[in-house]
Amino acid sequence: MKTASRIKLRRNATAYFFLSPWLLSFLVFGLFPILFSFYLSFTDTGMLDMNPVWRGLDNYIHVLKDKDFLKSLWNTLYFVIVTVPITTVLAMILAVAVNSRIPGKVLFRVGFFMPTITSIVVVSMMFMLLYAPSGILNAILDLLHLPKVSWLLDVRTALPSIMAMSVWTAVGFYMLMYVAALQSIPKELYEAATTDGAGLWTQFRMVTLPHLRQMSILVIVMNTINSLQVFSEVFVMTKGGPLNSTKTIVLYMYNISFSNLQLGKGSAVAYLLMVFILIVTVIQMGLLRINKGVGE
Amino acid sequence: MALRNNVRSAVIFVLLLFPLALMFFPYLYMISMSLKGDGMLIKTLGDIIPHKITLQNYVDVLSSGPFGTYFFNSTLVAVLVVAGNVLFGSMVGYAFAKMDFTGKNVLFLAILATMMIPFQVTLIPIFLLMRELGWIDTYAALIVPSLVTPMGIFLMRQYISTIPTELIQAAKIDGSTEFGVFWRIIFPLAKPALGVMIIVQFLSSWNNFINPLILTNSEKMRTLPIGLSLYKGFNAIDWVHLMAAACVATLPVVVIFILFQKYIIAGMTSGAVKS
């Protein structure tokens, strides 16, 4: 008995030695910040005032009543509702096309994946150039004798312009996830379908689509989570303007924390965002699973 | 039948060229702008191709501006973050893949949980922590929190699980210690996964925006993405230099990507799927 427990102790010691870099990092940069942030969200902590007073739910109430926050929430939701379906459908179509027997597959993969590895700041710069008042898009409109558009400077077009860029950026990544799913579909299914005289569209509906269901859930949930956290592109391109028309939840959080220096409120926004992401994810997974049940 | 298939492939190929062109166009436009000699914004479509090609914009950006410093900072941070993840990621991944220890399941759940929680939640406390430590505006603030990441651990755990346990046992019978096993068997055998890790971590560090944004405040500590975004702020209409700088920031990434595209795509999509 004694030796058994000693062996176990030694085994644990070795294992924890190997785990130690992560354990340390997890405690200091993971667990502690998560808990501390929760505490901060109930205090009036400011950037320069480190003697926080407990305020209960004040921060949450203040934020939820703040018109700016509600505007950011709406903008973010709008962003998700428009970009996620478009990106998903485009990614699926492109994946089916790229996965078919065509020459130059590598070229297409590289081309569509390129934005994923490009810094979002660089992507934002490229699109600011496209959207510039005297930039290429307006030059094209001019050529077609259409009125010029102020893209990022107009309340009506600023957010849609950034959403278009976001679709451009994300579509290749999700396309390749769909390609991976397509490649796991057994070839025999298509052969059987062809023998049964099923046309291309029927094959797509009866064989391809059902096999992409799992991946679609993943793509939609991942893309939604990412889109709910949209920040860098807005920060670089518009700083939330004009007139808060492109302000998102994370930009609101950044501003309230690092411009207004209200860290307590900022933490409350972070926690609201987390809860919000959790709710949306659970709802989506539930809905998509139910759909699956109905479909079968 | 074969002919019909060929016609179909040809049609799909041609149809795909249009979205592909949309993908490449912003890059080509950026490059073209960075080579322009006259520094003017494009007024007509014919101006996409520069009339006078010059590398002067690159010379200006690299010599006079602070971009040399940004470039150095981005490189230093990325290299050290990669090194940390290679060593620590495989150590921790090995423990989770091949060792039995008390609390294994709970700790693994902790890794999963940290991957699920949005990073914004930790942003403010990490900022405060760095301020307490006096690490604001130092390399340590940019490097230390990223030295070991859940994603890296995950990747290594998945790969090391596929290494046969018999190899480890045989080495132990031959008198090798756990660390010897790690160093002489696991580390060399995990090379393919390490390759993926090096690339993915390099890219994520190189392109990271929000951490250096809140954790640095002087010009000499800025990384490329921050430098670029601020450069834009000061010189909103200086497109030619801005685009030259953006090209400089993108070039290493594109080169790495084209060389290793197979591993990058596999690594990034599988990492995402598993998380």
Side-chain angles (χ1 to χ4, degrees):
Chain A
M1 267 325 266
K2 219 169 194 175
T3 49
S5 70
R6 197 178 292 161
I7 287 171
K8 199 176 166 194
L9 195 72
R10 253 208 17 219
R11 210 198 266 158
N12 275 339
T14 319
Y16 276 87
F17 170 75
F18 275 85
L19 292 173
S20 57
W22 169 71
L23 273 176
L24 198 66
S25 173
F26 169 68
L27 292 175
V28 179
F29 302 115
L31 192 62
F32 160 72
I34 290 166
L35 298 176
F36 192 53
S37 189
F38 193 57
Y39 161 74
L40 285 177
S41 73
F42 297 105
T43 68
D44 66 350
T45 308
M47 187 68 83
L48 308 167
D49 162 34
M50 284 316 286
N51 296 310
V53 175
W54 186 265
R55 294 280 181 187
L57 286 170
D58 278 8
N59 288 332
Y60 289 93
I61 293 165
H62 172 93
V63 166
L64 286 170
K65 276 186 178 161
D66 185 0
K67 260 200 281 187
D68 270 14
F69 175 77
L70 296 175
K71 178 75 179 152
S72 323
L73 182 68
W74 165 246
N75 287 340
T76 311
L77 274 182
Y78 182 54
F79 192 97
V80 168
I81 291 168
V82 176
T83 60
V84 171
I86 294 178
T87 308
T88 309
V89 171
L90 282 180
M92 196 190 285
I93 294 172
L94 287 172
V96 172
V98 167
N99 199 47
S100 62
R101 290 191 313 141
I102 51 160
K105 274 187 189 183
V106 173
L107 180 71
F108 289 112
R109 282 174 191 221
V110 169
F112 287 114
F113 201 73
M114 199 99 111
T116 306
I117 54 133
T118 308
S119 156
I120 187 67
V121 175
V122 171
V123 170
S124 304
M125 304 266 147
M126 297 193 305
F127 276 77
M128 286 172 70
L129 180 61
L130 296 177
Y131 289 138
S134 52
I136 191 90
L137 284 180
N138 276 336
I140 294 172
L141 288 179
D142 208 35
L143 208 72
L144 300 170
H145 300 292
L146 291 167
K148 289 189 177 185
V149 177
S150 306
W151 306 111
L152 296 171
L153 302 172
D154 188 320
V155 181
R156 288 163 303 174
T157 50
L159 191 57
S161 301
I162 297 177
M163 295 194 301
M165 178 185 106
S166 169
V167 172
W168 180 90
T169 313
V171 75
F173 178 74
Y174 296 110
M175 175 193 91
L176 280 160
M177 288 181 65
Y178 273 124
V179 167
L182 284 172
Q183 282 170 350
S184 70
I185 303 176
K187 294 251 184 318
E188 298 82 51
L189 291 177
Y190 289 103
E191 282 158 20
T194 315
T195 332
D196 288 349
L200 272 186
W201 174 242
T202 319
Q203 280 186 32
F204 176 75
R205 256 186 7 155
M206 305 308 280
V207 181
T208 313
L209 216 47
H211 278 92
L212 292 183
R213 196 161 263 151
Q214 277 309 104
M215 187 51 89
S216 295
I217 295 177
L218 191 69
V219 164
I220 292 170
V221 170
M222 266 181 69
N223 197 359
T224 304
I225 292 175
N226 287 337
S227 302
L228 285 171
Q229 301 180 45
V230 59
F231 167 75
S232 309
E233 45 272 63
V234 195
F235 182 84
V236 173
M237 294 171 90
T238 62
K239 291 267 192 299
L243 295 173
N244 285 341
S245 61
T246 58
K247 202 177 210 178
T248 61
I249 300 177
V250 179
L251 184 62
Y252 177 89
M253 181 203 153
Y254 176 85
N255 284 345
I256 211 168
S257 313
F258 296 100
S259 303
N260 298 3
L261 312 180
Q262 297 174 310
L263 299 179
K265 287 201 181 89
S267 302
V269 177
Y271 262 87
L272 284 173
L273 177 69
M274 187 175 88
V275 171
F276 195 63
I277 288 176
L278 200 72
I279 293 172
V280 171
T281 309
V282 168
I283 292 176
Q284 272 186 342
M285 290 184 119
L287 281 178
L288 292 163
R289 289 260 157 75
I290 290 167
N291 267 339
K292 186 186 172 188
V294 171
E296 277 166 0
Chain B
M1 203 60 187
L3 180 72
R4 229 179 82 188
N5 278 341
N6 283 342
V7 170
R8 192 197 295 152
S9 308
V11 170
I12 293 174
F13 180 79
V14 171
L15 285 180
L16 269 177
L17 287 178
F18 177 66
L20 188 69
L22 280 183
M23 283 305 179
F24 280 129
F25 181 73
Y27 289 93
L28 297 176
Y29 195 27
M30 167 172 79
I31 294 167
S32 148
M33 189 58 84
S34 74
L35 296 171
K36 271 169 87 82
D38 42 12
M40 292 293 287
L41 254 189
I42 288 179
K43 293 253 165 49
T44 63
L45 273 172
D47 275 357
I48 296 174
I49 299 152
H51 296 296
K52 205 178 87 194
I53 292 179
T54 173
L55 287 174
Q56 188 57 41
N57 302 326
Y58 287 88
V59 175
D60 293 348
V61 155
L62 289 173
S63 62
S64 65
F67 273 90
T69 313
Y70 301 160
F71 200 85
F72 174 79
N73 291 344
S74 277
T75 311
L76 181 75
V77 171
V79 166
L80 290 175
V81 165
V82 165
N85 276 284
V86 163
L87 178 64
F88 300 138
S90 40
M91 276 173 73
V92 182
Y94 174 44
F96 275 114
K98 294 292 182 192
M99 292 182 196
D100 275 322
F101 52 88
T102 319
K104 188 172 176 178
N105 291 335
V106 177
L107 290 180
F108 199 66
L109 273 179
I111 292 190
L112 291 180
T114 42
M115 283 167 94
M116 303 281 282
I117 288 173
F119 76 91
Q120 290 86 359
V121 168
T122 61
L123 209 58
I124 291 170
I126 286 181
F127 171 81
L128 291 174
L129 183 70
M130 293 301 176
R131 203 173 63 173
E132 282 307 300
L133 290 170
W135 281 9
I136 294 288
D137 216 29
T138 66
Y139 290 120
L142 300 180
I143 295 165
V144 175
S146 308
L147 280 178
V148 49
T149 54
M151 199 254 157
I153 296 172
F154 226 82
L155 190 75
M156 294 318 293
R157 186 197 89 117
Q158 295 305 97
Y159 192 82
I160 293 171
S161 304
T162 65
I163 296 176
T165 309
E166 293 79 46
L167 275 179
I168 298 166
Q169 281 163 348
K172 278 187 190 159
I173 290 166
D174 289 347
S176 197
T177 61
E178 201 71 78
F179 205 80
V181 170
F182 172 73
W183 200 243
R184 278 191 292 275
I185 297 176
I186 302 296
F187 212 57
L189 284 178
K191 265 186 197 145
L194 288 174
V196 172
M197 168 114 101
I198 289 171
I199 295 162
V200 173
Q201 294 290 351
F202 181 87
L203 290 177
S204 79
S205 170
W206 187 266
N207 292 337
N208 194 347
F209 183 66
I210 197 155
N211 286 331
L213 180 68
I214 64 162
L215 297 176
T216 65
N217 48 36
S218 76
E219 189 143 272
K220 67 178 204 312
M221 289 308 302
R222 274 174 203 143
T223 57
L224 273 170
I226 309 301
L228 266 180
S229 75
L230 293 172
Y231 193 78
K232 173 227 122 194
F234 290 128
N235 311 291
I237 40 166
D238 186 7
W239 287 109
V240 291
H241 288 103
L242 185 61
M243 289 300 136
C247 283
V248 170
T250 313
L251 193 68
V253 169
V254 171
V255 169
I256 291 173
F257 178 53
I258 288 172
L259 289 177
F260 303 105
Q261 55 97 6
K262 227 173 126 184
Y263 303 98
I264 294 178
I265 289 171
M268 290 185 78
T269 45
S270 76
V273 171
K274 273 150 203 159
S275 65

